[in-house]
């Protein structure tokens, strides 16, 4: 399958330059402010190049039928105006109704796989299989962590696992990820792939997170929806571990999908070549899940303005309909 081959071609490793964690936050805030100040009407957008348009399947829009009172025809029309590599999953968490667009298209997950890894670690910890209250080894040289979320631990050999988790989720810090996966690799041998299979991922054994291999695998937006459902249900257990993890996601320092001021959202984004995604649990008066996966990423730009603009418009459409 062309989509699989192209996705796998870009999943050998996701080593982002160290300075990008802070730059990503600044870029996200700048893009979001400009988009929110003057959101344009949805307009047709051409794929960035032939390679991007070829790695996705032809969109399969949801039928324009009643879904939690939403106008799905408008959502379909908006999604159809985007480049072909644009997939959406939305779920009303009160009714359970689900809307999808282009749901089967496969993408490299980029850093969104960190959300699944975080959930897996916490569930393992609650089963007594690992100790999230302990430390992980910092193998990075002095000066490496300077100016990052883990700046306070620069030159320190051992770092609290929860501090590494917080950095990995809130700013998608890859050094923090390396510390965690060097202690607890996520692959078929360690049971991570079985965990994804239990969640219902369509290609769970393609996915892994290891020190040598970085982030590997393929996902579609339906997998993203299953993951965010699982996180939502885990947060609802209100154990001390689940609440700590929830705080990490609520403190995520990026803005891609639109979330209105004053509304909390548990979020995780991923950005790399041919991959820009954002997943959110939006704790509005009527809570919902919204996930968007695209092939419009650029390894040199954490938050490409064009796709962020589209995600802002998508988030506004969903929020307006869900809160109507």
């Amino acid at each position: 399958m062309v989509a699989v081959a192209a996705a796998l071609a870009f999943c050998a490793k996701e080593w982002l330059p160290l300075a990008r964690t802070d730059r990503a936050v600044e870029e996200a805030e700048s893009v979001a402010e400009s988009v929110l100040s003057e959101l344009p009407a949805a307009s047709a957008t051409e794929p960035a190049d032939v390679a991007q348009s070829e790695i996705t399947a032809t969109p399969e829009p949801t039928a324009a039928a009643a879904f939690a009172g939403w106008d799905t025809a408008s959502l379909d029309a908006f999604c159809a105006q985007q480049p072909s590599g644009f997939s959406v999953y939305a779920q009303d968490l009160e009714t359970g109704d689900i809307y999808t667009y282009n749901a089967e298209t496969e993408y490299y997950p980029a850093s969104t796989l960190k959300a699944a890894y975080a959930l897996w670690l916490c569930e393992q910890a609650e089963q007594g299989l690992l100790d999230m209250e302990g430390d992980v080894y910092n193998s990075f040289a002095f000066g490496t962590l300077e100016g990052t979320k883990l700046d306070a631990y620069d030159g320190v050999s051992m770092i609290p696992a929860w501090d590494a988790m917080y950095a990995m989720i809130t700013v998608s810090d890859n050094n923090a990820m390396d510390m965690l996966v060097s202690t607890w690799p996520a692959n078929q041998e360690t049971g991570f792939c079985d965990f994804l299979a239990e969640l219902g991922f369509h290609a769970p054994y393609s996915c892994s997170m290891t020190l040598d291999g970085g982030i590997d695998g393929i996902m579609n937006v339906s997998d993203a929806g299953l993951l965010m459902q699982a996180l939502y249900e885990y947060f609802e257990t209100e154990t001390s571990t689940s609440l700590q993890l929830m705080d990490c996601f609520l403190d995520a320092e990026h803005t891609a999908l639109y979330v209105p001021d004053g509304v909390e959202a548990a979020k995780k984004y991923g950005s790399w070549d041919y991959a820009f995604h954002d997943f959110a649990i939006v704790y509005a008066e009527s809570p919902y899940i919204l996930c968007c996966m695209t092939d419009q990423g650029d390894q040199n730009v954490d938050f490409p303005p064009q796709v962020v603009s589209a995600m802002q418009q998508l988030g506004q459409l969903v929020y307006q309909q869900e809160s109507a």
Side-chain angles (χ1 to χ4, degrees):
M1 185 174 183
V2 176
V4 175
L8 289 175
F10 289 91
C11 68
K13 186 172 290 187
E14 188 186 16
W15 304 124
L16 303 182
L18 184 63
R20 295 183 69 199
T21 56
D22 293 334
R23 179 167 61 82
V25 175
E26 294 174 0
E27 289 177 356
E29 292 172 348
S30 175
V31 170
E33 287 174 3
S34 63
V35 170
L36 286 173
S37 64
E38 187 177 356
L39 276 173
S43 58
T45 306
E46 294 298 324
D49 53 43
V50 174
Q52 289 188 0
S53 63
E54 287 181 349
I55 71 168
T56 57
T58 302
E60 299 176 359
T62 302
F67 162 58
W70 295 10
D71 177 6
T72 56
S74 294
L75 290 171
D76 285 345
F78 172 79
C79 294
Q81 291 174 336
Q82 310 310 314
S84 60
F86 191 88
S87 300
V88 175
Y89 176 104
Q91 180 180 3
D92 185 305
L93 287 168
E94 293 182 338
T95 67
D97 290 335
I98 294 171
Y99 167 88
T100 61
Y101 185 91
N102 210 9
E104 302 306 316
T105 299
E106 296 173 322
Y107 303 91
Y108 172 52
S111 287
T112 61
L113 196 61
K114 294 173 183 173
Y117 177 59
L119 177 59
W120 178 67
L121 286 181
C122 287
E123 291 196 351
Q124 293 267 297
E126 296 217 34
Q127 296 169 33
L129 300 175
L130 57 87
D131 182 14
M132 280 298 296
E133 302 306 319
D135 296 335
V136 292
Y137 179 64
N138 173 21
S139 61
F140 293 97
F142 182 79
T144 307
L145 303 181
E146 186 175 347
T148 74
K149 201 74 170 176
L150 295 172
D151 185 281
Y153 297 108
D154 192 38
V156 178
S157 61
M158 302 301 292
I159 295 177
W162 270 112
D163 287 359
M165 173 76 85
Y166 189 79
M168 182 182 74
I169 298 300
T170 59
V171 295
S172 207
D173 189 298
N174 286 310
N175 289 337
M177 180 194 81
D178 287 348
M179 294 175 199
L180 290 166
V181 300
S182 65
T183 305
W184 302 299
N187 53 27
Q188 186 169 349
E189 289 72 25
T190 61
F192 178 66
C193 296
D194 290 338
F195 167 74
L196 297 181
E198 290 170 4
L199 291 183
F201 274 41
H202 85 289
Y205 295 95
S206 73
C207 297
S208 64
M209 288 176 56
T210 61
L211 187 61
D212 293 334
I215 297 173
D216 232 348
I218 53 173
M219 281 177 59
N220 60 33
V221 82
S222 294
D223 299 330
L226 292 170
L227 170 58
M228 298 312 281
Q229 285 179 50
L231 278 168
Y232 177 76
E233 291 168 4
Y234 181 62
F235 297 156
E236 289 288 287
T237 64
E238 296 187 344
T239 64
S240 60
T241 304
S242 70
L243 292 176
Q244 277 186 278
L245 184 62
M246 185 178 184
D247 285 342
C248 295
F249 283 89
L250 290 175
D251 289 349
E253 299 179 18
H254 73 275
T255 303
L257 284 169
Y258 171 78
V259 177
D261 290 341
V263 174
E264 287 194 309
K267 303 179 291 182
K268 185 70 194 77
Y269 84 98
S271 181
W272 195 239
D273 256 3
Y274 298 96
F276 185 81
H277 322 307
D278 200 13
F279 307 161
I281 304 167
V282 183
Y283 289 95
E285 184 175 348
S286 297
Y288 59 92
I289 288 169
L290 180 59
C291 304
C292 185
M293 301 188 78
T294 81
D295 63 2
Q296 300 166 50
D298 180 341
Q299 65 174 313
N300 298 312
V301 181
D302 283 317
F303 292 86
Q306 186 172 348
V307 67
V308 170
S309 176
M311 287 189 180
Q312 289 281 301
Q313 293 179 67
L314 171 67
Q316 281 202 335
L317 282 172
V318 172
Y319 177 73
Q320 289 167 0
Q321 295 197 38
E322 180 69 357
S323 60

